[in-house]
């Protein structure tokens, strides 16, 4: 395996760990494994913005918009329309269409008070898709600034503004989170520039130790709700989130080196991670109540509640892998969710 191939696989595998963390984290939310849950929510999403920043290339804005629309916003629009229709079938009123259309526009992963004062219905895990679409565009404009100092200043302004807005309201297109994740984008960009200088000497291991410390401290500080841009201690949580991509990339290198079969599986998961997000969203909406009734209660009686949640997390990972493998057999699924040239030709 060439060095370049290994490097690409490393990022795919790190993204795989992130999306599997999304599945496990969402399952553990009902239990009492608070520290484990905090650890997972520190690491499950920052890696995606970090990788996007790492692979950022200077391109024309329309090219960026087309690519991000095809891979992020178009799938979101399709799924949001389906979500609205399904809710209308359940409660067939014009009010239902209005409420869920507004919720789709806000694209919030967690419920809260919307900017205009109405209760906001969360769309769940799908929030990530439009947030990354807007985040990509915002980061593009930050990178257009000629001075590195100006880039850093604008990233910090975005992060601080996101800290301020997060606890206030749910803003359209998860604005608070979009602003905060600019830090992760920029960290990925810096890592691309300085990786070769750092990774092959002792400073890399010092960096890993510092990152591991930040991750643990961030998790000990409490909940990190990046979807809403909120946390118990937002600065510590953000620093913990900033640290996790470096740890995941190190773990990915270990998986490549020591477990060939797992490396191939994780690489595949990372490459089609959007489908794992989508299946987890469908799982939570349509299957969660059945999981609680037919799995959680019997398992809790047989072992313990915490053990039951861990077992169900692993089961959910397994059936997500099976489900994604099956749906990829359908060409129209691949076209809608994975084709970078559909519907807008690049």
């Amino acid at each position: 395996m060439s060095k370049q191939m290994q490097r690409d696989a490393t990022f795919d595998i790190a993204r795989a760990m992130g999306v599997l963390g999304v599945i496990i984290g969402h399952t553990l939310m009902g239990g009492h494994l608070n520290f484990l849950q905090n650890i997972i929510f520190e690491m499950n999403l920052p890696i995606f913005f970090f990788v996007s920043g790492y692979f950022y290339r200077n391109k024309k804005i329309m090219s960026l918009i087309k690519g991000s629309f095809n891979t992020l916003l178009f799938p979101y629009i399709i799924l949001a329309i389906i979500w609205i229709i399904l809710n209308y079938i359940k409660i067939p009123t014009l009010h239902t269409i209005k409420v869920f259309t507004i919720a789709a526009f806000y694209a919030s992963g967690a419920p809260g008070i919307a900017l205009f004062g109405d209760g906001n219905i969360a769309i769940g895990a799908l929030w990530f898709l439009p947030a990354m679409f807007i985040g990509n565009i915002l980061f593009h404009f930050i990178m257009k600034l000629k001075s590195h100092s100006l880039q850093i200043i604008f990233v910090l302004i975005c992060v601080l503004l996101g800290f301020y807005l997060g606890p206030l309201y749910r803003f359209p297109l998860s604005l608070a989170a979009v602003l905060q994740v600019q830090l992760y984008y920029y960290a990925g960009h810096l890592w691309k520039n300085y990786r070769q200088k750092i990774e092959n000497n002792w400073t890399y291991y010092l960096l890993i130790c510092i990152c591991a410390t930040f991750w643990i401290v961030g998790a000990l500080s409490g909940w990190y709700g990046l979807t809403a841009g909120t946390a118990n201690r937002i600065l510590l949580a953000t620093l913990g989130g900033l640290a996790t991509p470096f740890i995941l990339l190190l773990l990915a290198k270990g998986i490549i080196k020591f477990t060939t079969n797992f490396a191939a599986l994780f690489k595949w998961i990372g490459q089609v991670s959007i489908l794992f997000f989508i299946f987890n969203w469908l799982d939570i909406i349509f299957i969660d109540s059945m999981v609680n009734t037919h799995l959680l209660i019997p398992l809790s009686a047989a072992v313990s509640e915490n053990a039951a949640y861990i077992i169900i997390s692993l089961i959910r990972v397994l059936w997500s892998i099976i489900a994604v493998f099956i749906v990829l057999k359908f060409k129209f699924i691949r076209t809608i969710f994975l084709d970078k040239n559909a519907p807008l030709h690049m």
Side-chain angles (χ1 to χ4, degrees), residues 227-244:
T227 174
T230 57
N232 294 112
R233 292 177 175 82
I234 189 64
L235 180 59
L236 290 177
T238 303
L239 290 175
L242 180 62
T244 58

Side-chain angles (χ1 to χ4, degrees), residues 23 27 279 283 286-320:
I23 297 170
T27 303
F279 184 78
D283 184 356
F286 298 109
I287 308 176
D288 204 43
S289 60
M290 289 186 288
V291 169
N292 290 335
T293 302
H294 299 293
L295 282 178
L296 179 61
I297 295 175
L299 279 173
S300 296
V303 284
S304 68
E305 185 181 50
N306 286 340
Y309 274 107
I310 293 174
I311 293 170
I312 292 171
S313 297
L314 298 177
I315 292 173
R316 273 191 154 136
V317 167
L318 179 60
W319 77 44
S320 296

Side-chain angles (χ1 to χ4, degrees), residues 50 53-57 187-196:
F50 183 96
Y54 184 94
F55 288 106
Y56 171 81
R57 290 185 298 108
H189 169 71
L190 290 178
W191 184 236
K192 179 179 181 179
N193 291 338
Y194 295 102
R195 179 179 181 181
Q196 294 299 324

Side-chain angles (χ1 to χ4, degrees), residues 74-146:
F74 179 62
Y76 177 79
I77 292 170
I78 297 296
L79 292 166
I81 291 172
I82 294 171
W83 183 63
I84 293 167
I85 292 171
L86 291 174
N87 281 287
Y88 177 75
I89 292 171
K90 187 186 301 183
I91 309 174
T93 67
L94 291 177
H95 181 69
T96 300
I97 295 177
K98 176 185 176 182
V99 167
F100 284 90
T101 300
I102 292 173
F105 173 67
Y106 273 87
S108 175
I113 303 301
L115 175 62
F116 300 109
D118 297 324
N120 173 244
I121 297 174
I123 199 168
L126 286 188
W127 78 273
F128 172 81
L129 301 180
M132 194 163 197
F133 172 77
I134 301 298
N136 287 348
I137 295 171
L138 177 57
F139 184 67
H140 171 81
F141 284 110
I142 290 174
M143 293 304 296
K144 284 293 186 181
L145 298 171
K146 300 299 182 182

Side-chain angles (χ1 to χ4, degrees), residues 219-232:
L220 288 172
S221 74
W223 171 260
Y224 184 30
L226 180 56
T227 174
T230 57
N232 294 112

Side-chain angles (χ1 to χ4, degrees), residues 35-242:
F35 180 69
L36 178 59
Q37 185 179 329
N38 292 346
I39 282 283
I40 291 171
F41 276 96
E42 288 279 337
M43 56 71 71
N44 59 3
L45 292 175
I47 183 63
F48 292 93
F49 303 104
F50 183 96
V51 171
S52 185
Y54 184 94
F55 288 106
Y56 171 81
R57 290 185 298 108
N58 187 17
K59 61 179 72 172
K60 293 182 179 180
I61 183 62
M62 287 310 300
S63 177
L64 173 68
I65 290 174
K66 284 182 180 180
S68 295
F69 179 87
N70 288 346
T71 57
L72 297 167
L73 199 57
F74 179 62
Y76 177 79
I77 292 170
I78 297 296
L79 292 166
I81 291 172
I82 294 171
W83 183 63
I84 293 167
I85 292 171
L86 291 174
N87 281 287
Y88 177 75
I89 292 171
K90 187 186 301 183
I91 309 174
T93 67
L94 291 177
H95 181 69
T96 300
I97 295 177
K98 176 185 176 182
V99 167
F100 284 90
T101 300
I102 292 173
F105 173 67
Y106 273 87
S108 175
I113 303 301
L115 175 62
F116 300 109
D118 297 324
N120 173 244
I121 297 174
I123 199 168
L126 286 188
W127 78 273
F128 172 81
L129 301 180
M132 194 163 197
F133 172 77
I134 301 298
N136 287 348
I137 295 171
L138 177 57
F139 184 67
H140 171 81
F141 284 110
I142 290 174
M143 293 304 296
K144 284 293 186 181
L145 298 171
K146 300 299 182 182
S147 164
H148 292 303
S149 298
L150 278 177
Q151 291 173 357
I152 293 171
I153 289 170
F154 270 83
V155 167
L156 292 177
I157 289 173
C158 287
V159 173
L160 293 174
L161 184 58
F163 286 173
Y164 174 74
L165 296 178
L168 295 180
Y169 300 105
R170 297 294 181 263
F171 288 83
L173 301 176
S174 300
L175 177 63
V178 168
L179 291 168
Q180 291 180 24
V181 298
Q182 295 306 309
L183 180 64
Y184 304 139
Y185 279 104
Y186 201 71
H189 169 71
L190 290 178
W191 184 236
K192 179 179 181 179
N193 291 338
Y194 295 102
R195 179 179 181 181
Q196 294 299 324
K197 295 179 181 179
I198 295 175
E199 201 170 40
N200 297 317
N201 58 58
W202 65 270
T203 55
Y204 176 65
Y205 299 100
L206 176 61
L207 174 66
I208 292 299
C209 291
I210 293 171
C211 288
T213 302
F214 276 128
W215 188 1
I216 293 171
V217 171
L220 288 172
S221 74
W223 171 260
Y224 184 30
L226 180 56
T227 174
T230 57
N232 294 112
R233 292 177 175 82
I234 189 64
L235 180 59
L236 290 177
T238 303
L239 290 175
L242 180 62

